[in-house]
């Protein structure tokens, strides 16, 4: 089979297309013929070595893929040849609380081989069925970005109709959060560096938009938009450059989901707003297979379709990563494998 792998050193230029043996399923495993995979920012960081320079090479990158089961190992009873499935981000996190083992050693696209490959051998417990209304291309966008957004809005402090949610940016996680929030009946404020992207977000249902380049003190506008009460819930992806403003934008008792650290991890913050404002700061790490099932029920019930920016061919994989790094995308970047 053909795979893309980070060869002997990290770096986009070290991403090589090579031939590997097609896998056979062991006990409790299935082989999935990958039809499509989608990129997350983590995949780019993994390829460049910024995510974890200690990952063993060669490594097949990319965590999120969708395809059909073509071989079933002994002991697998709930999947058959032809089943349409998506891989779970962590192959070991079935449900319950996250743990070091579930998050560090069992995730696809590092340290485990990922899905930028014609076939992938996965645990039968590490796949979930694709919602019927979705194509492979659409399904490939769900395992990491969609589930992260879903859990940020539903798992710890469920977003309620009438709540105001502030979403940072218009990346993959952000646009799923926008779609889920509108299904929940929330009011959405979204920030972006691009007016054109903000117009696209409005067409998807965003109620208020703020250009964070032109309006660097965006938390003040968010407070004005809520009659100075503050927002209920924040999707925080900016990190060091945005966290203090997120705290300032929240209402007393508000909730911020820490998802990304795009502008850096080391923030200097005053703890007083958290203490005096009774704020909840919650880290999110994708989610479990049970969470994935729960999200997929909602996606099926609402016939939700992911926002896709562009689909690249398999032989254009390095260009797909470069497109992600350039940051001009709106929605998910997909690589068609078959
Ligand atoms: N914790 C988890 O489980 C988890 C899961 C998935 C992703 N993540 C992390 O979440 C972040 C976003 O991931 P993604 O896949 O959605 O990335 P993405 O598709 O590449 O989108 C990133 C977007 O973030 C926005 N952005 C960048 N700097 C910003 C800033 N200072 N303020 C506000 N927005 C900013 C940009 O929006 P505009 O172009 O509109 O300005 C950009 O398009 C990454 O750091 C990723 O590693 C974490």
């Amino acid at each position: 089979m053909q795979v893309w792998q980070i060869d002997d050193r990290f770096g986009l230029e070290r991403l090589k297309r090579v031939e590997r043996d097609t896998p056979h399923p062991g006990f409790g495993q299935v082989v999935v013929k990958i039809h499509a995979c989608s990129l997350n920012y983590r995949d780019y960081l993994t390829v460049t070595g910024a995510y974890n320079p200690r990952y063993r090479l060669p490594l097949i990158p990319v965590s999120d893929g969708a395809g059909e089961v073509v071989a079933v190992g002994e002991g697998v009873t709930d999947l058959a040849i032809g089943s349409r499935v998506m891989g779970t981000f962590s192959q070991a996190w079935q449900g319950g609380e996250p743990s070091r083992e579930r998050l560090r050693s069992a995730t696809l696209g590092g340290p485990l081989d990922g899905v930028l490959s014609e076939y992938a051998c996965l645990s039968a417990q590490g796949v979930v069925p694709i919602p019927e209304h979705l194509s492979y291309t659409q399904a490939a966008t769900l395992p990491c970005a969609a589930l992260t957004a879903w859990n940020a809005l539903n798992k710890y402090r469920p977003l309620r109709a009438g709540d105001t949610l502030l979403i940072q940016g218009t990346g993959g996680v952000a646009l799923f959060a926008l779609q889920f929030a509108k299904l929940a009946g929330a009011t959405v404020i979204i920030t972006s560096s691009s007016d054109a992207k903000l117009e696209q977000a409005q067409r998807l249902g965003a109620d208020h938009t703020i250009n964070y380049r032109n309006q660097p003190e965006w938390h003040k506008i968010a407070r004005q938009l809520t009659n100075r009460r503050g927002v209920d819930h924040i999707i925080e992806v900016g990190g060091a450059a945005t966290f203090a403003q997120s705290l300032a934008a929240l209402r007393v008792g508000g909730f911020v989901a820490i998802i990304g650290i795009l502008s850096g991890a080391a923030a200097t913050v005053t703890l007083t707003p958290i203490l005096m404002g009774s704020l909840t700061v919650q880290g999110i790490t994708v989610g479990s297979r049970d969470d994935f099932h729960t999200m997929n029920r909602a996606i099926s019930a609402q016939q939700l379709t992911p926002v896709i920016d562009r689909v690249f061919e398999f032989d254009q994989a390095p260009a797909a990563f470069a497109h992600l790094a350039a940051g001009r995308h709106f929605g998910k970047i997909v690589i068609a494998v078959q």
Side-chain angles (χ1 to χ4, degrees), residues 135-146:
S135 66
Y136 288 117
T137 301
Q138 293 168 327
T141 68
L142 299 184
C144 177

mmCIF file with all atom_site columns, all heavy atoms in Angstrom, residues 135-146:
data_model
loop_
_atom_site.group_PDB
_atom_site.id
_atom_site.type_symbol
_atom_site.label_atom_id
_atom_site.label_alt_id
_atom_site.label_comp_id
_atom_site.label_asym_id
_atom_site.label_entity_id
_atom_site.label_seq_id
_atom_site.pdbx_PDB_ins_code
_atom_site.Cartn_x
_atom_site.Cartn_y
_atom_site.Cartn_z
_atom_site.occupancy
_atom_site.B_iso_or_equiv
_atom_site.pdbx_formal_charge
_atom_site.auth_seq_id
_atom_site.auth_comp_id
_atom_site.auth_asym_id
_atom_site.auth_atom_id
_atom_site.pdbx_PDB_model_num
ATOM 1  N N   . SER A 1 135 ? -20.853 11.566 3.557  1.00 0.00 ? 135 SER A N   1
ATOM 2  C CA  . SER A 1 135 ? -19.904 10.897 2.662  1.00 0.00 ? 135 SER A CA  1
ATOM 3  C C   . SER A 1 135 ? -18.620 10.604 3.446  1.00 0.00 ? 135 SER A C   1
ATOM 4  O O   . SER A 1 135 ? -18.424 11.125 4.559  1.00 0.00 ? 135 SER A O   1
ATOM 5  C CB  . SER A 1 135 ? -19.577 11.816 1.482  1.00 0.00 ? 135 SER A CB  1
ATOM 6  O OG  . SER A 1 135 ? -18.881 12.952 1.972  1.00 0.00 ? 135 SER A OG  1
ATOM 7  N N   . TYR A 1 136 ? -17.725 9.833  2.847  1.00 0.00 ? 136 TYR A N   1
ATOM 8  C CA  . TYR A 1 136 ? -16.427 9.595  3.491  1.00 0.00 ? 136 TYR A CA  1
ATOM 9  C C   . TYR A 1 136 ? -15.672 10.916 3.670  1.00 0.00 ? 136 TYR A C   1
ATOM 10 O O   . TYR A 1 136 ? -15.032 11.145 4.691  1.00 0.00 ? 136 TYR A O   1
ATOM 11 C CB  . TYR A 1 136 ? -15.579 8.634  2.648  1.00 0.00 ? 136 TYR A CB  1
ATOM 12 C CG  . TYR A 1 136 ? -16.054 7.200  2.661  1.00 0.00 ? 136 TYR A CG  1
ATOM 13 C CD1 . TYR A 1 136 ? -16.482 6.568  1.493  1.00 0.00 ? 136 TYR A CD1 1
ATOM 14 C CD2 . TYR A 1 136 ? -16.064 6.464  3.842  1.00 0.00 ? 136 TYR A CD2 1
ATOM 15 C CE1 . TYR A 1 136 ? -16.909 5.247  1.493  1.00 0.00 ? 136 TYR A CE1 1
ATOM 16 C CE2 . TYR A 1 136 ? -16.499 5.136  3.852  1.00 0.00 ? 136 TYR A CE2 1
ATOM 17 C CZ  . TYR A 1 136 ? -16.918 4.539  2.682  1.00 0.00 ? 136 TYR A CZ  1
ATOM 18 O OH  . TYR A 1 136 ? -17.342 3.241  2.697  1.00 0.00 ? 136 TYR A OH  1
ATOM 19 N N   . THR A 1 137 ? -15.737 11.770 2.680  1.00 0.00 ? 137 THR A N   1
ATOM 20 C CA  . THR A 1 137 ? -15.045 13.058 2.749  1.00 0.00 ? 137 THR A CA  1
ATOM 21 C C   . THR A 1 137 ? -15.539 13.864 3.948  1.00 0.00 ? 137 THR A C   1
ATOM 22 O O   . THR A 1 137 ? -14.749 14.451 4.699  1.00 0.00 ? 137 THR A O   1
ATOM 23 C CB  . THR A 1 137 ? -15.301 13.848 1.444  1.00 0.00 ? 137 THR A CB  1
ATOM 24 O OG1 . THR A 1 137 ? -14.822 13.068 0.366  1.00 0.00 ? 137 THR A OG1 1
ATOM 25 C CG2 . THR A 1 137 ? -14.607 15.193 1.446  1.00 0.00 ? 137 THR A CG2 1
ATOM 26 N N   . GLN A 1 138 ? -16.849 13.898 4.129  1.00 0.00 ? 138 GLN A N   1
ATOM 27 C CA  . GLN A 1 138 ? -17.418 14.656 5.258  1.00 0.00 ? 138 GLN A CA  1
ATOM 28 C C   . GLN A 1 138 ? -17.083 13.979 6.583  1.00 0.00 ? 138 GLN A C   1
ATOM 29 O O   . GLN A 1 138 ? -16.712 14.638 7.559  1.00 0.00 ? 138 GLN A O   1
ATOM 30 C CB  . GLN A 1 138 ? -18.937 14.774 5.087  1.00 0.00 ? 138 GLN A CB  1
ATOM 31 C CG  . GLN A 1 138 ? -19.329 15.638 3.897  1.00 0.00 ? 138 GLN A CG  1
ATOM 32 C CD  . GLN A 1 138 ? -20.806 15.506 3.553  1.00 0.00 ? 138 GLN A CD  1
ATOM 33 O OE1 . GLN A 1 138 ? -21.407 14.448 3.725  1.00 0.00 ? 138 GLN A OE1 1
ATOM 34 N NE2 . GLN A 1 138 ? -21.385 16.586 3.056  1.00 0.00 ? 138 GLN A NE2 1
ATOM 35 N N   . ALA A 1 139 ? -17.195 12.646 6.620  1.00 0.00 ? 139 ALA A N   1
ATOM 36 C CA  . ALA A 1 139 ? -16.973 11.915 7.873  1.00 0.00 ? 139 ALA A CA  1
ATOM 37 C C   . ALA A 1 139 ? -15.538 12.061 8.364  1.00 0.00 ? 139 ALA A C   1
ATOM 38 O O   . ALA A 1 139 ? -15.280 12.079 9.581  1.00 0.00 ? 139 ALA A O   1
ATOM 39 C CB  . ALA A 1 139 ? -17.310 10.431 7.671  1.00 0.00 ? 139 ALA A CB  1
ATOM 40 N N   . ALA A 1 140 ? -14.608 12.189 7.426  1.00 0.00 ? 140 ALA A N   1
ATOM 41 C CA  . ALA A 1 140 ? -13.190 12.288 7.809  1.00 0.00 ? 140 ALA A CA  1
ATOM 42 C C   . ALA A 1 140 ? -12.901 13.530 8.640  1.00 0.00 ? 140 ALA A C   1
ATOM 43 O O   . ALA A 1 140 ? -11.853 13.631 9.271  1.00 0.00 ? 140 ALA A O   1
ATOM 44 C CB  . ALA A 1 140 ? -12.314 12.288 6.554  1.00 0.00 ? 140 ALA A CB  1
ATOM 45 N N   . THR A 1 141 ? -13.827 14.487 8.682  1.00 0.00 ? 141 THR A N   1
ATOM 46 C CA  . THR A 1 141 ? -13.585 15.731 9.428  1.00 0.00 ? 141 THR A CA  1
ATOM 47 C C   . THR A 1 141 ? -13.988 15.636 10.898 1.00 0.00 ? 141 THR A C   1
ATOM 48 O O   . THR A 1 141 ? -13.716 16.555 11.671 1.00 0.00 ? 141 THR A O   1
ATOM 49 C CB  . THR A 1 141 ? -14.371 16.913 8.813  1.00 0.00 ? 141 THR A CB  1
ATOM 50 O OG1 . THR A 1 141 ? -15.769 16.686 9.021  1.00 0.00 ? 141 THR A OG1 1
ATOM 51 C CG2 . THR A 1 141 ? -14.099 17.056 7.328  1.00 0.00 ? 141 THR A CG2 1
ATOM 52 N N   . LEU A 1 142 ? -14.637 14.536 11.286 1.00 0.00 ? 142 LEU A N   1
ATOM 53 C CA  . LEU A 1 142 ? -15.270 14.519 12.611 1.00 0.00 ? 142 LEU A CA  1
ATOM 54 C C   . LEU A 1 142 ? -14.382 14.116 13.799 1.00 0.00 ? 142 LEU A C   1
ATOM 55 O O   . LEU A 1 142 ? -14.566 14.643 14.896 1.00 0.00 ? 142 LEU A O   1
ATOM 56 C CB  . LEU A 1 142 ? -16.497 13.591 12.602 1.00 0.00 ? 142 LEU A CB  1
ATOM 57 C CG  . LEU A 1 142 ? -17.633 13.940 11.636 1.00 0.00 ? 142 LEU A CG  1
ATOM 58 C CD1 . LEU A 1 142 ? -18.806 12.972 11.829 1.00 0.00 ? 142 LEU A CD1 1
ATOM 59 C CD2 . LEU A 1 142 ? -18.110 15.368 11.832 1.00 0.00 ? 142 LEU A CD2 1
ATOM 60 N N   . PRO A 1 143 ? -13.464 13.139 13.665 1.00 0.00 ? 143 PRO A N   1
ATOM 61 C CA  . PRO A 1 143 ? -12.910 12.511 14.886 1.00 0.00 ? 143 PRO A CA  1
ATOM 62 C C   . PRO A 1 143 ? -12.255 13.461 15.884 1.00 0.00 ? 143 PRO A C   1
ATOM 63 O O   . PRO A 1 143 ? -12.437 13.291 17.081 1.00 0.00 ? 143 PRO A O   1
ATOM 64 C CB  . PRO A 1 143 ? -11.879 11.514 14.325 1.00 0.00 ? 143 PRO A CB  1
ATOM 65 C CG  . PRO A 1 143 ? -12.424 11.152 12.984 1.00 0.00 ? 143 PRO A CG  1
ATOM 66 C CD  . PRO A 1 143 ? -13.013 12.438 12.446 1.00 0.00 ? 143 PRO A CD  1
ATOM 67 N N   . CYS A 1 144 ? -11.521 14.461 15.440 1.00 0.00 ? 144 CYS A N   1
ATOM 68 C CA  . CYS A 1 144 ? -10.833 15.338 16.401 1.00 0.00 ? 144 CYS A CA  1
ATOM 69 C C   . CYS A 1 144 ? -11.530 16.689 16.532 1.00 0.00 ? 144 CYS A C   1
ATOM 70 O O   . CYS A 1 144 ? -12.003 17.055 17.616 1.00 0.00 ? 144 CYS A O   1
ATOM 71 C CB  . CYS A 1 144 ? -9.375  15.513 15.979 1.00 0.00 ? 144 CYS A CB  1
ATOM 72 S SG  . CYS A 1 144 ? -8.460  16.635 17.035 1.00 0.00 ? 144 CYS A SG  1
ATOM 73 N N   . ALA A 1 145 ? -11.639 17.435 15.433 1.00 0.00 ? 145 ALA A N   1
ATOM 74 C CA  . ALA A 1 145 ? -12.153 18.815 15.516 1.00 0.00 ? 145 ALA A CA  1
ATOM 75 C C   . ALA A 1 145 ? -13.599 18.858 15.993 1.00 0.00 ? 145 ALA A C   1
ATOM 76 O O   . ALA A 1 145 ? -13.945 19.625 16.902 1.00 0.00 ? 145 ALA A O   1
ATOM 77 C CB  . ALA A 1 145 ? -12.019 19.498 14.159 1.00 0.00 ? 145 ALA A CB  1
ATOM 78 N N   . ALA A 1 146 ? -14.440 18.034 15.382 1.00 0.00 ? 146 ALA A N   1
ATOM 79 C CA  . ALA A 1 146 ? -15.867 18.085 15.745 1.00 0.00 ? 146 ALA A CA  1
ATOM 80 C C   . ALA A 1 146 ? -16.066 17.623 17.182 1.00 0.00 ? 146 ALA A C   1
ATOM 81 O O   . ALA A 1 146 ? -16.803 18.247 17.950 1.00 0.00 ? 146 ALA A O   1
ATOM 82 C CB  . ALA A 1 146 ? -16.685 17.214 14.795 1.00 0.00 ? 146 ALA A CB  1
#
